[in-house]
Amino acid sequence: MTQTVLVTGGAGFIGSHTCVELLLSGYEVVVLDDHSNSSPEALERVAKTAGRPIAAAYSADVRDRRALDTVFAGHRVDAVIHFAAKKAVGESVRIPLAYYDINVGGTTALLAAMHAHGVHRLVFSSSCSIYGDATTVPLTEDSPAAPTNPYATTKWTCERILDDLCRRLPELRVLALRYFNPAGAHPEGLLGEDPRGVPNNVMPFLSQIAVGRRGELRVFGDDYPTPDGTGVRDYIHVADVAEGHRVALDHLDDTPGMSVFNLGTGHGSSVLELVRAFEEVSGRPIPYRIVERRPGDVAELVADPAKVTAAWGWRARHDVAAMCRDAWNFQQLNPRGYGL
């Protein structure tokens, strides 16, 4: 019997690519998204890319219990993938209460609705940011959590809530995927990262500079203890992240309770290395300016993905050059993004 998956935040960057992966793998997909940082056009492109439509799309806030009840009452949902959240480190420092309200409040509202409708299988979108200012890299799932900003704290708080609920509700199965820095786009060029307003992530900023929409990149700090002084991150292709979520659905019932896995490549790139890689792929210069460090940022976040490879056989298959190539391809084909 075909399984139905509810994807919250399914019109967003990672969510839309995951919807394609699920549709191509035979799942029925239901999406809930308030489009606060996404476009409904992305769902039209999901259907074109996958060659089949999603089952239903609901425009609603994940904190809206009435909307959630409507979704669960209208579909026999077998599992939920929960992306819907705010996700910018710098913004979370400026408006922390909004992050706690949306990220934590949205997760608890979703869990309450799931429980009320007898749905007990969840893949949770977590983050490497919970590791904070790590003293040793690469990071394993057993590395201590030390969030340095409200965004990271919300993800850590949600993990703690999920872990506690799994101890008290034995029917609940949760996989928390701590992925590192998703980048790139679908290679066909219909889907990519098109945030509303000024991008908070570096890759869409590079793309918009190269296509002429923005003037220069601000590099937040060049005095970190890294080879060139700029922050080092484990960039992972969004297609690999999407595949990781699809594979996670196959393993939700492997063990009772909650399990945590890193999704990353195991290799770090500095901001300036990423700039050079994008310049090489695009053939366009990327002007940049060094500015002060951004509150809440850390020097280096690189994954040790050995646990997920051993458990599921999953590993990242794309390198930084592929991420830059696919992101640039999307931007060239869609110079104004989804047209908003």
Side-chain angles (χ1 to χ4, degrees):
M1 182 181 295
T2 301
Q3 290 194 49
T4 297
V5 181
L6 169 62
V7 183
T8 72
F13 175 45
I14 305 172
S16 61
H17 287 78
T18 300
C19 286
V20 170
E21 179 75 19
L22 296 177
L23 289 169
L24 291 174
S25 300
Y27 288 93
E28 293 294 324
V29 175
V30 176
V31 169
L32 183 143
D33 196 305
D34 69 355
H35 303 298
S36 59
N37 193 37
S38 67
S39 168
E41 171 66 19
L43 298 180
E44 299 294 328
R45 296 184 180 209
V46 164
K48 291 178 183 177
T49 303
R52 54 186 290 247
I54 62 173
Y58 295 83
S59 181
D61 191 310
V62 73
R63 294 168 294 177
D64 185 342
R65 270 300 304 273
R66 182 174 297 180
L68 288 169
D69 287 337
T70 298
V71 173
F72 284 108
H75 305 273
R76 187 188 59 80
V77 174
D78 297 285
V80 177
I81 300 179
H82 180 34
F83 291 112
K86 294 181 75 65
K87 63 182 183 64
V89 168
E91 182 184 60
S92 78
V93 174
R94 295 193 303 273
I95 52 170
L97 282 175
Y99 270 70
Y100 287 107
D101 183 22
I102 294 168
N103 293 6
V104 180
T107 299
T108 55
L110 176 64
L111 288 166
M114 288 174 60
H115 185 68
H117 292 272
V119 179
H120 308 298
R121 304 169 75 239
L122 174 69
V123 179
F124 176 67
S125 168
S126 193
S127 170
C128 66
S129 64
I130 68 169
Y131 295 117
D133 203 358
T135 56
T136 59
V137 292
L139 295 153
T140 73
E141 291 80 356
D142 294 325
S143 297
T148 62
N149 56 76
Y151 165 66
T153 303
T154 65
K155 289 298 183 179
W156 178 238
T157 300
C158 288
E159 281 198 18
R160 301 281 45 81
I161 291 169
L162 290 166
D163 183 61
D164 187 59
L165 282 178
C166 283
R167 297 175 190 277
R168 301 172 194 283
L169 302 174
E171 67 274 20
L172 188 59
R173 299 287 185 274
V174 177
L175 290 175
L177 303 184
R178 295 174 181 168
Y179 38 87
F180 280 60
N181 287 69
H186 195 280
E188 292 183 10
L190 282 177
L191 287 173
E193 190 168 7
D194 183 35
R196 292 182 182 271
V198 179
N200 288 300
N201 295 335
V202 64
M203 187 70 82
F205 214 110
L206 296 176
S207 298
Q208 291 184 14
I209 291 171
V211 83
R213 287 174 62 182
R214 302 197 181 275
E216 66 177 7
L217 175 72
R218 290 187 301 161
V219 177
F220 296 102
D222 64 349
D223 57 349
Y224 286 105
T226 62
D228 63 19
T230 64
V232 170
R233 298 293 183 268
D234 186 340
Y235 296 98
I236 176 172
H237 200 294
V238 65
D240 289 325
V241 177
E243 183 187 45
H245 285 79
R246 191 262 303 162
V247 173
L249 291 174
D250 297 334
H251 294 276
L252 266 170
D253 299 316
D254 285 0
T255 58
M258 174 175 161
S259 299
V260 175
F261 292 95
N262 287 338
L263 295 187
T265 68
H267 304 284
S269 299
S270 73
V271 175
L272 294 184
E273 287 173 334
L274 191 65
V275 167
R276 288 191 289 270
F278 200 93
E279 287 180 328
E280 184 172 344
V281 164
S282 68
R284 305 283 180 89
I286 303 293
Y288 67 86
R289 176 168 53 95
I290 305 296
V291 298
E292 290 184 358
R293 292 187 186 188
R294 186 169 52 182
D297 274 346
V298 299
E300 188 170 4
L301 287 170
V302 178
D304 180 347
K307 179 181 175 182
V308 71
T309 300
W312 303 346
W314 176 93
R315 55 173 48 86
R317 296 181 288 110
H318 301 80
D319 60 13
V320 166
M323 296 175 221
C324 293
R325 181 192 65 234
D326 291 339
W328 178 230
N329 180 51
F330 170 76
Q331 195 69 74
Q332 286 183 293
L333 293 173
N334 307 270
R336 303 301 301 178
Y338 293 130
L340 298 178

mmCIF file of all heavy atoms in Angstrom, residues 76-121:
data_model
loop_
_atom_site.group_PDB
_atom_site.id
_atom_site.type_symbol
_atom_site.label_atom_id
_atom_site.label_comp_id
_atom_site.label_asym_id
_atom_site.label_seq_id
_atom_site.Cartn_x
_atom_site.Cartn_y
_atom_site.Cartn_z
ATOM 1 N N ARG A 76 -4.914 9.873 5.265
ATOM 2 C CA ARG A 76 -4.369 8.822 6.123
ATOM 3 C C ARG A 76 -2.843 8.956 6.101
ATOM 4 O O ARG A 76 -2.153 8.362 5.293
ATOM 5 C CB ARG A 76 -4.796 7.443 5.605
ATOM 6 C CG ARG A 76 -4.416 6.288 6.551
ATOM 7 C CD ARG A 76 -4.698 4.945 5.904
ATOM 8 N NE ARG A 76 -3.967 4.776 4.663
ATOM 9 C CZ ARG A 76 -2.680 4.423 4.583
ATOM 10 N NH1 ARG A 76 -1.970 4.230 5.694
ATOM 11 N NH2 ARG A 76 -2.099 4.283 3.408
ATOM 12 N N VAL A 77 -2.336 9.763 7.016
ATOM 13 C CA VAL A 77 -0.916 10.077 7.045
ATOM 14 C C VAL A 77 -0.154 8.960 7.753
ATOM 15 O O VAL A 77 -0.487 8.571 8.886
ATOM 16 C CB VAL A 77 -0.666 11.427 7.754
ATOM 17 C CG1 VAL A 77 0.817 11.694 7.916
ATOM 18 C CG2 VAL A 77 -1.341 12.553 6.980
ATOM 19 N N ASP A 78 0.859 8.431 7.088
ATOM 20 C CA ASP A 78 1.669 7.357 7.670
ATOM 21 C C ASP A 78 2.893 7.891 8.416
ATOM 22 O O ASP A 78 3.375 7.255 9.354
ATOM 23 C CB ASP A 78 2.134 6.398 6.568
ATOM 24 C CG ASP A 78 0.973 5.698 5.892
ATOM 25 O OD1 ASP A 78 0.405 4.785 6.506
ATOM 26 O OD2 ASP A 78 0.636 6.063 4.747
ATOM 27 N N ALA A 79 3.409 9.026 7.979
ATOM 28 C CA ALA A 79 4.593 9.607 8.611
ATOM 29 C C ALA A 79 4.635 11.093 8.293
ATOM 30 O O ALA A 79 4.012 11.556 7.327
ATOM 31 C CB ALA A 79 5.870 8.926 8.126
ATOM 32 N N VAL A 80 5.382 11.832 9.106
ATOM 33 C CA VAL A 80 5.532 13.272 8.932
ATOM 34 C C VAL A 80 7.015 13.596 8.827
ATOM 35 O O VAL A 80 7.837 13.057 9.575
ATOM 36 C CB VAL A 80 4.914 14.040 10.121
ATOM 37 C CG1 VAL A 80 5.130 15.548 9.962
ATOM 38 C CG2 VAL A 80 3.434 13.722 10.269
ATOM 39 N N ILE A 81 7.345 14.487 7.881
ATOM 40 C CA ILE A 81 8.674 15.099 7.833
ATOM 41 C C ILE A 81 8.481 16.573 8.173
ATOM 42 O O ILE A 81 7.750 17.282 7.482
ATOM 43 C CB ILE A 81 9.345 14.942 6.462
ATOM 44 C CG1 ILE A 81 9.513 13.463 6.115
ATOM 45 C CG2 ILE A 81 10.708 15.633 6.462
ATOM 46 C CD1 ILE A 81 10.152 13.221 4.746
ATOM 47 N N HIS A 82 9.120 17.022 9.232
ATOM 48 C CA HIS A 82 8.850 18.359 9.782
ATOM 49 C C HIS A 82 10.012 19.308 9.497
ATOM 50 O O HIS A 82 11.038 19.294 10.178
ATOM 51 C CB HIS A 82 8.617 18.244 11.281
ATOM 52 C CG HIS A 82 8.339 19.552 11.954
ATOM 53 N ND1 HIS A 82 7.661 20.589 11.363
ATOM 54 C CD2 HIS A 82 8.665 19.990 13.215
ATOM 55 C CE1 HIS A 82 7.569 21.607 12.204
ATOM 56 N NE2 HIS A 82 8.175 21.276 13.321
ATOM 57 N N PHE A 83 9.835 20.134 8.448
ATOM 58 C CA PHE A 83 10.808 21.164 8.104
ATOM 59 C C PHE A 83 10.403 22.549 8.609
ATOM 60 O O PHE A 83 11.268 23.390 8.845
ATOM 61 C CB PHE A 83 10.961 21.287 6.578
ATOM 62 C CG PHE A 83 11.611 20.121 5.903
ATOM 63 C CD1 PHE A 83 10.878 19.309 5.047
ATOM 64 C CD2 PHE A 83 12.947 19.839 6.091
ATOM 65 C CE1 PHE A 83 11.464 18.246 4.395
ATOM 66 C CE2 PHE A 83 13.552 18.771 5.450
ATOM 67 C CZ PHE A 83 12.804 17.973 4.596
ATOM 68 N N ALA A 84 9.101 22.813 8.705
ATOM 69 C CA ALA A 84 8.606 24.176 8.907
ATOM 70 C C ALA A 84 9.227 24.829 10.133
ATOM 71 O O ALA A 84 8.990 24.403 11.264
ATOM 72 C CB ALA A 84 7.086 24.158 9.035
ATOM 73 N N ALA A 85 10.021 25.872 9.896
ATOM 74 C CA ALA A 85 10.699 26.575 10.989
ATOM 75 C C ALA A 85 11.419 27.784 10.416
ATOM 76 O O ALA A 85 11.686 27.858 9.217
ATOM 77 C CB ALA A 85 11.713 25.666 11.681
ATOM 78 N N LYS A 86 11.748 28.719 11.287
ATOM 79 C CA LYS A 86 12.650 29.796 10.915
ATOM 80 C C LYS A 86 14.071 29.305 11.132
ATOM 81 O O LYS A 86 14.326 28.526 12.050
ATOM 82 C CB LYS A 86 12.372 31.052 11.747
ATOM 83 C CG LYS A 86 11.005 31.658 11.463
ATOM 84 C CD LYS A 86 10.743 32.917 12.280
ATOM 85 C CE LYS A 86 11.512 34.112 11.750
ATOM 86 N NZ LYS A 86 11.071 34.522 10.393
ATOM 87 N N LYS A 87 15.033 29.793 10.294
ATOM 88 C CA LYS A 87 16.321 29.108 10.286
ATOM 89 C C LYS A 87 17.548 30.004 10.123
ATOM 90 O O LYS A 87 18.625 29.510 9.796
ATOM 91 C CB LYS A 87 16.337 28.056 9.163
ATOM 92 C CG LYS A 87 16.191 28.644 7.758
ATOM 93 C CD LYS A 87 16.173 27.542 6.714
ATOM 94 C CE LYS A 87 16.093 28.079 5.295
ATOM 95 N NZ LYS A 87 17.279 28.878 4.922
ATOM 96 N N ALA A 88 17.441 31.300 10.359
ATOM 97 C CA ALA A 88 18.586 32.185 10.176
ATOM 98 C C ALA A 88 19.221 32.530 11.518
ATOM 99 O O ALA A 88 18.559 33.076 12.407
ATOM 100 C CB ALA A 88 18.158 33.459 9.458
ATOM 101 N N VAL A 89 20.511 32.222 11.650
ATOM 102 C CA VAL A 89 21.217 32.446 12.910
ATOM 103 C C VAL A 89 21.163 33.918 13.308
ATOM 104 O O VAL A 89 20.775 34.270 14.426
ATOM 105 C CB VAL A 89 22.675 31.972 12.796
ATOM 106 C CG1 VAL A 89 23.502 32.477 13.987
ATOM 107 C CG2 VAL A 89 22.737 30.444 12.728
ATOM 108 N N GLY A 90 21.574 34.802 12.397
ATOM 109 C CA GLY A 90 21.613 36.217 12.733
ATOM 110 C C GLY A 90 20.252 36.778 13.100
ATOM 111 O O GLY A 90 20.118 37.544 14.065
ATOM 112 N N GLU A 91 19.241 36.404 12.339
ATOM 113 C CA GLU A 91 17.885 36.869 12.630
ATOM 114 C C GLU A 91 17.417 36.379 13.993
ATOM 115 O O GLU A 91 16.736 37.097 14.728
ATOM 116 C CB GLU A 91 16.933 36.393 11.545
ATOM 117 C CG GLU A 91 15.497 36.873 11.728
ATOM 118 C CD GLU A 91 14.557 36.315 10.683
ATOM 119 O OE1 GLU A 91 14.434 35.065 10.611
ATOM 120 O OE2 GLU A 91 13.951 37.110 9.950
ATOM 121 N N SER A 92 17.791 35.147 14.338
ATOM 122 C CA SER A 92 17.347 34.596 15.621
ATOM 123 C C SER A 92 17.915 35.375 16.798
ATOM 124 O O SER A 92 17.294 35.454 17.858
ATOM 125 C CB SER A 92 17.735 33.116 15.731
ATOM 126 O OG SER A 92 19.107 32.935 16.063
ATOM 127 N N VAL A 93 19.095 35.966 16.622
ATOM 128 C CA VAL A 93 19.682 36.791 17.674
ATOM 129 C C VAL A 93 18.876 38.084 17.840
ATOM 130 O O VAL A 93 18.710 38.585 18.956
ATOM 131 C CB VAL A 93 21.161 37.093 17.354
ATOM 132 C CG1 VAL A 93 21.747 38.074 18.365
ATOM 133 C CG2 VAL A 93 21.981 35.798 17.338
ATOM 134 N N ARG A 94 18.347 38.584 16.723
ATOM 135 C CA ARG A 94 17.580 39.843 16.764
ATOM 136 C C ARG A 94 16.153 39.637 17.269
ATOM 137 O O ARG A 94 15.615 40.496 17.974
ATOM 138 C CB ARG A 94 17.536 40.476 15.376
ATOM 139 C CG ARG A 94 18.892 40.927 14.852
ATOM 140 C CD ARG A 94 18.736 41.830 13.638
ATOM 141 N NE ARG A 94 17.989 41.180 12.556
ATOM 142 C CZ ARG A 94 18.542 40.411 11.616
ATOM 143 N NH1 ARG A 94 19.841 40.188 11.644
ATOM 144 N NH2 ARG A 94 17.807 39.880 10.663
ATOM 145 N N ILE A 95 15.521 38.509 16.877
ATOM 146 C CA ILE A 95 14.120 38.282 17.261
ATOM 147 C C ILE A 95 13.972 36.889 17.892
ATOM 148 O O ILE A 95 13.281 36.015 17.362
ATOM 149 C CB ILE A 95 13.173 38.452 16.054
ATOM 150 C CG1 ILE A 95 13.629 37.589 14.858
ATOM 151 C CG2 ILE A 95 13.076 39.904 15.647
ATOM 152 C CD1 ILE A 95 12.588 37.533 13.735
ATOM 153 N N PRO A 96 14.591 36.681 19.037
ATOM 154 C CA PRO A 96 14.594 35.338 19.632
ATOM 155 C C PRO A 96 13.203 34.817 19.973
ATOM 156 O O PRO A 96 12.935 33.623 19.813
ATOM 157 C CB PRO A 96 15.460 35.490 20.878
ATOM 158 C CG PRO A 96 15.432 36.958 21.189
ATOM 159 C CD PRO A 96 15.356 37.645 19.867
ATOM 160 N N LEU A 97 12.315 35.687 20.454
ATOM 161 C CA LEU A 97 10.996 35.205 20.853
ATOM 162 C C LEU A 97 10.229 34.616 19.673
ATOM 163 O O LEU A 97 9.518 33.612 19.821
ATOM 164 C CB LEU A 97 10.195 36.334 21.496
ATOM 165 C CG LEU A 97 10.565 36.670 22.942
ATOM 166 C CD1 LEU A 97 9.779 37.891 23.407
ATOM 167 C CD2 LEU A 97 10.290 35.485 23.855
ATOM 168 N N ALA A 98 10.388 35.217 18.499
ATOM 169 C CA ALA A 98 9.721 34.678 17.314
ATOM 170 C C ALA A 98 10.235 33.279 16.998
ATOM 171 O O ALA A 98 9.464 32.399 16.579
ATOM 172 C CB ALA A 98 9.932 35.609 16.123
ATOM 173 N N TYR A 99 11.523 33.056 17.202
ATOM 174 C CA TYR A 99 12.092 31.743 16.928
ATOM 175 C C TYR A 99 11.574 30.694 17.913
ATOM 176 O O TYR A 99 11.251 29.567 17.522
ATOM 177 C CB TYR A 99 13.625 31.821 16.943
ATOM 178 C CG TYR A 99 14.166 32.147 15.566
ATOM 179 C CD1 TYR A 99 13.969 33.409 15.012
ATOM 180 C CD2 TYR A 99 14.820 31.192 14.810
ATOM 181 C CE1 TYR A 99 14.420 33.712 13.742
ATOM 182 C CE2 TYR A 99 15.289 31.478 13.544
ATOM 183 C CZ TYR A 99 15.084 32.741 13.012
ATOM 184 O OH TYR A 99 15.520 33.020 11.738
ATOM 185 N N TYR A 100 11.476 31.048 19.178
ATOM 186 C CA TYR A 100 10.926 30.102 20.151
ATOM 187 C C TYR A 100 9.456 29.824 19.858
ATOM 188 O O TYR A 100 8.989 28.679 19.929
ATOM 189 C CB TYR A 100 11.116 30.620 21.573
ATOM 190 C CG TYR A 100 12.548 30.531 22.037
ATOM 191 C CD1 TYR A 100 13.342 31.663 22.161
ATOM 192 C CD2 TYR A 100 13.123 29.289 22.318
ATOM 193 C CE1 TYR A 100 14.664 31.569 22.559
ATOM 194 C CE2 TYR A 100 14.447 29.187 22.705
ATOM 195 C CZ TYR A 100 15.214 30.335 22.832
ATOM 196 O OH TYR A 100 16.523 30.230 23.209
ATOM 197 N N ASP A 101 8.726 30.875 19.507
ATOM 198 C CA ASP A 101 7.300 30.715 19.221
ATOM 199 C C ASP A 101 7.076 29.807 18.023
ATOM 200 O O ASP A 101 6.294 28.844 18.076
ATOM 201 C CB ASP A 101 6.699 32.100 18.968
ATOM 202 C CG ASP A 101 5.198 32.057 18.740
ATOM 203 O OD1 ASP A 101 4.553 31.081 19.158
ATOM 204 O OD2 ASP A 101 4.668 33.021 18.148
ATOM 205 N N ILE A 102 7.771 30.085 16.923
ATOM 206 C CA ILE A 102 7.527 29.347 15.683
ATOM 207 C C ILE A 102 8.175 27.969 15.714
ATOM 208 O O ILE A 102 7.532 26.960 15.399
ATOM 209 C CB ILE A 102 8.028 30.170 14.484
ATOM 210 C CG1 ILE A 102 7.175 31.439 14.339
ATOM 211 C CG2 ILE A 102 7.994 29.345 13.198
ATOM 212 C CD1 ILE A 102 7.744 32.458 13.382
ATOM 213 N N ASN A 103 9.440 27.900 16.083
ATOM 214 C CA ASN A 103 10.153 26.621 15.988
ATOM 215 C C ASN A 103 9.727 25.630 17.066
ATOM 216 O O ASN A 103 9.455 24.459 16.774
ATOM 217 C CB ASN A 103 11.658 26.858 16.048
ATOM 218 C CG ASN A 103 12.177 27.594 14.821
ATOM 219 O OD1 ASN A 103 11.400 28.032 13.969
ATOM 220 N ND2 ASN A 103 13.476 27.746 14.728
ATOM 221 N N VAL A 104 9.674 26.087 18.302
ATOM 222 C CA VAL A 104 9.272 25.180 19.383
ATOM 223 C C VAL A 104 7.754 25.038 19.414
ATOM 224 O O VAL A 104 7.216 23.922 19.482
ATOM 225 C CB VAL A 104 9.817 25.673 20.739
ATOM 226 C CG1 VAL A 104 9.382 24.722 21.847
ATOM 227 C CG2 VAL A 104 11.341 25.769 20.696
ATOM 228 N N GLY A 105 7.044 26.173 19.335
ATOM 229 C CA GLY A 105 5.588 26.116 19.356
ATOM 230 C C GLY A 105 5.009 25.362 18.175
ATOM 231 O O GLY A 105 4.028 24.618 18.311
ATOM 232 N N GLY A 106 5.613 25.517 17.005
ATOM 233 C CA GLY A 106 5.153 24.770 15.844
ATOM 234 C C GLY A 106 5.358 23.271 15.999
ATOM 235 O O GLY A 106 4.506 22.466 15.607
ATOM 236 N N THR A 107 6.480 22.895 16.591
ATOM 237 C CA THR A 107 6.754 21.471 16.786
ATOM 238 C C THR A 107 5.793 20.850 17.794
ATOM 239 O O THR A 107 5.273 19.750 17.577
ATOM 240 C CB THR A 107 8.213 21.278 17.245
ATOM 241 O OG1 THR A 107 9.090 21.778 16.222
ATOM 242 C CG2 THR A 107 8.519 19.811 17.489
ATOM 243 N N THR A 108 5.527 21.544 18.890
ATOM 244 C CA THR A 108 4.612 20.971 19.884
ATOM 245 C C THR A 108 3.181 20.917 19.347
ATOM 246 O O THR A 108 2.445 19.972 19.629
ATOM 247 C CB THR A 108 4.661 21.757 21.204
ATOM 248 O OG1 THR A 108 4.392 23.136 20.958
ATOM 249 C CG2 THR A 108 6.022 21.621 21.854
ATOM 250 N N ALA A 109 2.768 21.919 18.565
ATOM 251 C CA ALA A 109 1.435 21.881 17.960
ATOM 252 C C ALA A 109 1.318 20.694 17.006
ATOM 253 O O ALA A 109 0.301 19.983 16.993
ATOM 254 C CB ALA A 109 1.147 23.188 17.225
ATOM 255 N N LEU A 110 2.360 20.481 16.212
ATOM 256 C CA LEU A 110 2.356 19.345 15.285
ATOM 257 C C LEU A 110 2.302 18.023 16.041
ATOM 258 O O LEU A 110 1.530 17.119 15.684
ATOM 259 C CB LEU A 110 3.605 19.401 14.403
ATOM 260 C CG LEU A 110 3.807 18.230 13.447
ATOM 261 C CD1 LEU A 110 2.694 18.159 12.408
ATOM 262 C CD2 LEU A 110 5.182 18.342 12.759
ATOM 263 N N LEU A 111 3.093 17.898 17.089
ATOM 264 C CA LEU A 111 3.101 16.663 17.869
ATOM 265 C C LEU A 111 1.742 16.396 18.505
ATOM 266 O O LEU A 111 1.274 15.250 18.543
ATOM 267 C CB LEU A 111 4.176 16.736 18.950
ATOM 268 C CG LEU A 111 5.624 16.633 18.451
ATOM 269 C CD1 LEU A 111 6.590 17.068 19.541
ATOM 270 C CD2 LEU A 111 5.932 15.210 17.995
ATOM 271 N N ALA A 112 1.093 17.448 18.988
ATOM 272 C CA ALA A 112 -0.230 17.273 19.592
ATOM 273 C C ALA A 112 -1.241 16.793 18.556
ATOM 274 O O ALA A 112 -2.067 15.906 18.832
ATOM 275 C CB ALA A 112 -0.690 18.588 20.222
ATOM 276 N N ALA A 113 -1.181 17.367 17.359
ATOM 277 C CA ALA A 113 -2.097 16.945 16.301
ATOM 278 C C ALA A 113 -1.810 15.516 15.860
ATOM 279 O O ALA A 113 -2.732 14.715 15.631
ATOM 280 C CB ALA A 113 -1.996 17.905 15.119
ATOM 281 N N MET A 114 -0.534 15.176 15.722
ATOM 282 C CA MET A 114 -0.177 13.805 15.362
ATOM 283 C C MET A 114 -0.728 12.817 16.385
ATOM 284 O O MET A 114 -1.331 11.800 16.036
ATOM 285 C CB MET A 114 1.359 13.667 15.269
ATOM 286 C CG MET A 114 1.983 14.346 14.070
ATOM 287 S SD MET A 114 3.811 14.297 14.118
ATOM 288 C CE MET A 114 4.114 12.505 14.132
ATOM 289 N N HIS A 115 -0.512 13.137 17.656
ATOM 290 C CA HIS A 115 -0.966 12.234 18.714
ATOM 291 C C HIS A 115 -2.481 12.084 18.699
ATOM 292 O O HIS A 115 -3.013 10.965 18.843
ATOM 293 C CB HIS A 115 -0.498 12.772 20.069
ATOM 294 C CG HIS A 115 -0.808 11.879 21.222
ATOM 295 N ND1 HIS A 115 -0.197 10.646 21.407
ATOM 296 C CD2 HIS A 115 -1.678 12.019 22.262
ATOM 297 C CE1 HIS A 115 -0.677 10.083 22.501
ATOM 298 N NE2 HIS A 115 -1.577 10.899 23.036
ATOM 299 N N ALA A 116 -3.184 13.192 18.489
ATOM 300 C CA ALA A 116 -4.643 13.152 18.479
ATOM 301 C C ALA A 116 -5.193 12.318 17.327
ATOM 302 O O ALA A 116 -6.273 11.723 17.437
ATOM 303 C CB ALA A 116 -5.195 14.575 18.392
ATOM 304 N N HIS A 117 -4.431 12.237 16.233
ATOM 305 C CA HIS A 117 -4.911 11.521 15.053
ATOM 306 C C HIS A 117 -4.205 10.177 14.847
ATOM 307 O O HIS A 117 -4.333 9.568 13.777
ATOM 308 C CB HIS A 117 -4.747 12.403 13.818
ATOM 309 C CG HIS A 117 -5.660 13.599 13.819
ATOM 310 N ND1 HIS A 117 -6.945 13.570 13.308
ATOM 311 C CD2 HIS A 117 -5.486 14.856 14.312
ATOM 312 C CE1 HIS A 117 -7.508 14.756 13.470
ATOM 313 N NE2 HIS A 117 -6.652 15.554 14.078
ATOM 314 N N GLY A 118 -3.470 9.721 15.857
ATOM 315 C CA GLY A 118 -2.878 8.395 15.800
ATOM 316 C C GLY A 118 -1.722 8.247 14.832
ATOM 317 O O GLY A 118 -1.481 7.160 14.304
ATOM 318 N N VAL A 119 -0.974 9.331 14.600
ATOM 319 C CA VAL A 119 0.215 9.290 13.733
ATOM 320 C C VAL A 119 1.442 9.359 14.631
ATOM 321 O O VAL A 119 1.589 10.302 15.414
ATOM 322 C CB VAL A 119 0.213 10.448 12.723
ATOM 323 C CG1 VAL A 119 1.463 10.406 11.832
ATOM 324 C CG2 VAL A 119 -1.049 10.413 11.872
ATOM 325 N N HIS A 120 2.319 8.367 14.517
ATOM 326 C CA HIS A 120 3.386 8.214 15.514
ATOM 327 C C HIS A 120 4.781 8.096 14.900
ATOM 328 O O HIS A 120 5.698 7.628 15.568
ATOM 329 C CB HIS A 120 3.121 6.972 16.377
ATOM 330 C CG HIS A 120 1.748 6.937 16.981
ATOM 331 N ND1 HIS A 120 1.302 7.901 17.859
ATOM 332 C CD2 HIS A 120 0.719 6.066 16.811
ATOM 333 C CE1 HIS A 120 0.055 7.623 18.222
ATOM 334 N NE2 HIS A 120 -0.320 6.520 17.591
ATOM 335 N N ARG A 121 4.944 8.547 13.644
ATOM 336 C CA ARG A 121 6.242 8.394 12.974
ATOM 337 C C ARG A 121 6.665 9.757 12.427
ATOM 338 O O ARG A 121 5.947 10.362 11.643
ATOM 339 C CB ARG A 121 6.139 7.358 11.860
ATOM 340 C CG ARG A 121 5.639 6.015 12.383
ATOM 341 C CD ARG A 121 5.286 5.049 11.261
ATOM 342 N NE ARG A 121 6.468 4.493 10.634
ATOM 343 C CZ ARG A 121 6.750 4.630 9.337
ATOM 344 N NH1 ARG A 121 5.942 5.339 8.554
ATOM 345 N NH2 ARG A 121 7.830 4.080 8.829
#
